[in-house]
Amino acid sequence: MSNPASPPAVGVVDDRPPLTFPPGFLWGAATAAYQIEGAAAEGGRTPSIWDTFSHTPGRVVEGHTGDVACDHYHRLGSDVALMAELGLKSYRFSVSWPRVQPGGTGPANAEGLDFYRRLVDELLGHGIEPWLTLYHWDLPQPLEDVGGWPARDTAARFADYATLVADALGDRVRYWTTLNEPWCSAFLGYGSGVHAPGRSDGADAVRAGHHLMLGHGLAVQALRAARPTAEVGVTVNLYPVTPASEAPADVDAARRIDGLANRFFLDPLLRGSYPADLMADLAKVTDFGHVRDGDLATISTPLDVVGVNYYSRHVVAAPDPDAEPEPYWRAPSCWPGSEDVRFVTRGVPVTDMNWEIDAPGLVETLRRVHEEYTDLPLYVTENGSAFVDEVVDGRVDDADRLAYFDAHLRAAHEAIEAGVPLRGYFAWSLMDNFEWAWGYTKRFGMVHVDYDTQVRIPKSSARWYAEVIRRNGLAAQ
Ligand code: IFM
């Protein structure tokens, strides 16, 4: 494969050295079930909250749904062959709960499990390590109908589901992630309501976050009981949170958002407690009466690995003292109790999601998790960017995305040199897919997908990444 030109821009002298990653570094790419599989009503699968949400007018841009998505359900063989061509060492995918346990309770659906068995066998046959995520946001709709994640019972249902999947696939899957980005499930799903199930209640969002973590802890125990040799972890999406100025009010705004975005999850999962300042911030939203004795011990059940998803940084400022009579923050918010904190843009380059590109933030994030929370092996389980792509003569030259990966891999290497036990990196995403409330309008893939024909075209970033994997590092520029 060719190694297309990498950043920086033409005319800029680049003396960056080649970088080599530690032996055995796990190079991968990630996807999620609802974003790629399609076959929404096939093989015994029943609706999840995302089927309901995406079929509700006005919820997803242009009314897009995951009904067909990338049709991966029917293209598993050729998709894995493509992964092998790119030289992936690992593939991180998620299991669709309503495909393997329709309705979210009761026995497993053999046809659903067979799909994942075939996927895993195909991966292993190509020497690609399967990395399985149990929950990437597709709660079976009947569980939402009886309360969803704000209801405590959902945590127990999740552990039952974990046992079904471990019994079926535990003999061939080594790496298990319980939840992907519980912040999104809780605060986008039940706070701002921009994600499924589209509910907007701060107290429900906080309860959902707690029960997601409780479900995680119970699932870790279930996985260990079913497969003592499994390597089990959780994936959190983390952001450095920077105050817009050194003014005490801005610094306090950063503390609050850091509490909700990062410490709400890191502290219970890795320290077995909620931060006192966060609980004080949330006092006007909830009395934490949903937390029962023993929950935090369950939530902090020891793990083998921690997954970090990193995309960008938050820069925040204190509430606007001149806010209008009907302040913007009356709208449903994903920051309960801190709705009035302002998110500031710095004018630095952004991706097509309007997210600031901030590679040093990855170093900061990984160092923080390692230095403040855990000695466990860390994996970047997602990192990537959406940009507008153009197919020209059958090629997609995605120089922006390639530069984003390059900068973040250099950051990952810097973190390793600073002592972080970073063991692997998964690009988000293997291929363009259903970007939740944005439907198919945002492209994160290293592989371009034509949604009319389902033709896949590896972009320049994919060819470049293949070369990175082959060298186990970055070439001198
Ligand atoms: O597409 C999502 C993914 O499902 C979870 N992490 C962030 C990605 C980009 O928004």
Side-chain angles (χ1 to χ4, degrees):
M1 282 175 193
S2 64
N3 182 18
S6 299
V10 178
V12 176
V13 177
D14 185 6
D15 54 2
R16 289 174 297 182
L19 295 179
T20 303
F21 281 72
F25 193 78
L26 197 60
W27 295 102
T31 64
Y34 191 70
Q35 295 181 272
I36 66 162
E37 282 179 7
E42 285 180 53
R45 183 185 181 279
T46 57
S48 76
I49 53 175
W50 269 98
D51 295 273
T52 308
F53 189 80
S54 64
H55 280 269
T56 305
R59 292 302 208 172
V60 174
V61 172
E62 295 179 25
H64 293 164
T65 74
D67 288 2
V68 177
C70 306
D71 197 32
H72 170 71
Y73 186 77
H74 298 115
R75 292 164 198 267
L76 168 171
S78 50
D79 283 342
V80 175
L82 181 54
M83 297 176 211
E85 193 192 323
L86 296 175
L88 295 189
K89 303 286 184 217
S90 183
Y91 172 55
R92 175 173 178 251
F93 62 97
S94 80
V95 170
S96 160
W97 187 347
R99 193 180 290 293
V100 307
Q101 192 188 34
T105 51
N109 169 31
E111 203 174 339
L113 285 174
D114 273 353
F115 168 71
Y116 295 105
R117 231 180 246 118
R118 280 188 287 121
L119 171 62
V120 167
D121 286 349
E122 199 72 23
L123 290 168
L124 292 172
H126 282 87
I128 301 172
E129 182 86 52
W131 187 304
L132 187 155
T133 297
L134 283 167
Y135 187 72
H136 199 126
W137 309 354
D138 42 3
L139 184 70
Q141 182 61 42
L143 295 184
E144 173 59 25
D145 296 341
V146 293
W149 285 110
R152 188 177 176 88
D153 190 53
T154 304
R157 300 286 69 75
F158 181 60
D160 292 348
Y161 155 67
T163 299
L164 294 185
V165 182
D167 285 346
L169 299 173
D171 59 342
R172 50 198 98 181
V173 174
R174 175 172 167 203
Y175 292 103
W176 296 74
T177 292
T178 53
L179 307 173
N180 184 71
E181 301 185 354
W183 182 86
C184 296
S185 301
F187 291 102
L188 299 181
Y190 295 91
S192 63
V194 301
H195 276 190
R199 286 161 58 182
S200 312
D201 180 299
D204 277 346
V206 174
R207 292 170 70 93
H210 182 75
H211 294 141
L212 279 152
M213 289 191 281
L214 183 62
H216 151 82
L218 294 170
V220 173
Q221 294 171 4
L223 291 170
R224 294 217 189 288
R227 281 287 146 184
T229 55
E231 304 251 356
V232 183
V234 64
T235 278
V236 281
N237 53 316
L238 303 177
Y239 291 78
V241 184
T242 307
S245 79
E246 286 171 12
D250 287 350
V251 172
D252 194 58
R255 178 195 62 72
R256 296 172 79 100
I257 296 304
D258 177 54
L260 286 165
N262 301 318
R263 293 181 290 121
F264 185 101
F265 296 96
L266 287 173
D267 283 50
L269 292 165
L270 298 171
R271 291 183 178 159
S273 58
Y274 279 108
D277 67 306
L278 171 71
M279 290 182 78
D281 292 345
L282 283 168
K284 62 184 170 204
V285 176
T286 175
D287 61 4
F288 280 86
H290 53 275
V291 179
R292 296 199 189 156
D293 284 352
D295 282 4
L296 285 154
T298 304
I299 288 171
S300 56
T301 301
L303 300 173
D304 302 300
V305 302
V306 174
V308 173
N309 289 0
Y310 177 79
Y311 288 91
S312 188
R313 175 190 303 272
H314 293 317
V315 182
V316 299
D320 181 355
D322 302 321
E324 295 168 14
E326 270 306 313
Y328 57 91
W329 47 265
R330 288 265 167 81
S333 169
C334 52
W335 306 108
S338 295
E339 296 87 348
D340 50 354
V341 169
R342 288 180 297 151
F343 284 69
V344 173
T345 50
R346 296 173 295 172
V348 305
V350 296
T351 69
D352 193 34
M353 299 295 284
N354 222 10
W355 297 346
E356 292 190 352
I357 300 171
D358 193 322
L362 176 59
V363 187
E364 224 172 296
T365 301
L366 293 171
R367 288 192 66 165
R368 181 191 195 181
V369 175
H370 174 60
E371 290 165 14
E372 295 180 24
Y373 287 94
T374 183
D375 287 334
L376 287 173
L378 305 185
Y379 289 82
V380 173
T381 39
E382 283 182 28
N383 174 241
S385 53
F387 285 104
V388 176
D389 293 321
E390 238 190 314
V391 183
V392 180
D393 297 333
R395 291 174 55 97
V396 180
D397 191 11
D398 59 339
D400 289 345
R401 187 175 293 100
L402 191 158
Y404 182 101
F405 281 133
D406 181 90
H408 287 76
L409 284 177
R410 287 177 192 279
H413 193 273
E414 191 180 325
I416 293 171
E417 285 191 323
V420 174
L422 182 69
R423 303 280 193 259
Y425 173 95
F426 290 77
W428 184 269
S429 175
L430 172 68
M431 59 180 124
D432 294 333
N433 57 50
F434 177 81
E435 177 54 24
W436 308 112
W438 292 98
Y440 300 100
T441 63
K442 304 290 179 192
R443 293 181 178 269
F444 274 90
M446 292 190 301
V447 172
H448 182 272
V449 176
D450 179 324
Y451 296 112
D452 293 326
T453 62
Q454 294 295 347
V455 167
R456 275 84 159 128
I457 302 174
K459 304 175 191 177
S460 299
S461 60
R463 303 289 174 199
W464 171 87
Y465 191 53
E467 189 59 20
V468 170
I469 297 173
R470 198 188 62 73
R471 290 172 186 270
N472 193 36
L474 295 151
Q477 303 298 312

